[in-house]
Amino acid sequence: DPRLGTVADLSGLIASLHDAGISLCVDFVLNHTSNDHEWAEAARAGSDYHRDLYITFPDRTEPDAYEATLPEIFPDMSPGNFTWIEPMERWVWTTFREFQWDLNWANPDVMVEVCELAFHLANLGVDILRLDAIAFTWKRMGTNCQNQPEAHLVAQALRAVLAMAAPATI
C-alpha cells in the first residue's frame, strides 16, 4: 500500500534499525492473502495458475462437508469458512474473514511463491519472520484443519530453505 511507504522506505528503516543494533521482526502470514493481493486479483481475472494458489470450489458440496468439523474463528464477524466470489463463480476458503483467502498448500507452487517472498524480505534485511496463522495452513476433511502434521512440515521446509538461502534470517 503506497500510503504506508515504498520498498525503498522499508530498506531505509531497516538500515536505520540495524545501525542502532535493532533487528526487525515482521509477521509473515502463511495461511492466506488479502483478496486485493495481486494473486487474488489475477485469480478473479481468470488466471488458472493464480486461482490454484487458493482453495476454491465450484459448488457447496465439499465446503459443506468441511464445515461439519470446522470451527468458526470469528462467528459474529465472519460466519462460516467459505465465501462466494462472483467473478470466479467459486467458493473460496476464508477461515478468518471473507477478504482473507486461504492458500492451497497442497499445491507446490504455493511453497515456491512463499519462499520467493521470504527471500525478498531476507534480501531487504528483515532479520526475523514470525510465521503467523501457520497452524491453519493444511486442510484435511473430517478435522478442524488446525495443526495438521503437514502444517509442521510447511514450517520445517520454509526454515530449511531459508537456512540455505538466507542463513541470517530466523
Side-chain angles (χ1 to χ4, degrees):
D1 187 334
R3 296 173 299 172
L4 302 176
T6 65
V7 173
D9 294 332
L10 177 60
S11 292
L13 171 66
I14 292 168
S16 295
L17 291 171
H18 288 171
D19 287 346
I22 300 170
S23 298
L24 178 61
C25 175
V26 300
D27 276 1
F28 194 54
V29 181
L30 295 182
N31 180 65
H32 53 269
T33 73
S34 169
N35 64 349
D36 64 2
H37 187 279
E38 63 187 69
W39 300 348
E41 289 177 353
R44 264 194 309 278
S47 166
D48 291 340
Y49 173 83
H50 291 92
R51 182 198 65 216
D52 292 345
L53 295 177
Y54 299 98
I55 304 171
T56 71
F57 305 93
D59 60 46
R60 284 294 305 196
T61 305
E62 285 185 78
D64 288 345
Y66 275 107
E67 289 281 21
T69 57
L70 289 176
E72 292 179 326
I73 304 302
F74 299 118
D76 294 335
M77 293 186 303
S78 185
N81 290 280
F82 301 89
T83 301
W84 177 253
I85 307 301
E86 188 63 40
M88 293 170 53
E89 296 184 345
R90 297 186 72 82
W91 290 93
V92 174
W93 197 311
T94 53
T95 296
F96 294 101
R97 297 294 303 268
E98 68 281 357
F99 53 84
Q100 295 173 316
W101 294 11
D102 286 29
L103 292 168
N104 179 9
W105 281 93
N107 176 352
D109 290 331
V110 170
M111 178 62 84
V112 171
E113 294 283 356
V114 168
C115 284
E116 287 181 10
L117 293 170
F119 297 154
H120 177 67
L121 292 170
N123 286 331
L124 289 174
V126 171
D127 303 286
I128 303 164
L129 298 176
R130 179 191 165 272
L131 305 183
D132 184 66
I134 192 163
F136 296 87
T137 54
W138 202 268
K139 317 305 190 202
R140 176 172 286 110
M141 185 78 70
T143 73
N144 67 0
C145 296
Q146 295 177 35
N147 293 308
Q148 298 300 304
E150 294 85 350
H152 299 277
L153 293 175
V154 166
Q156 291 170 5
L158 185 57
R159 180 65 203 122
V161 169
L162 275 171
M164 290 182 278
T169 302
I170 299 170

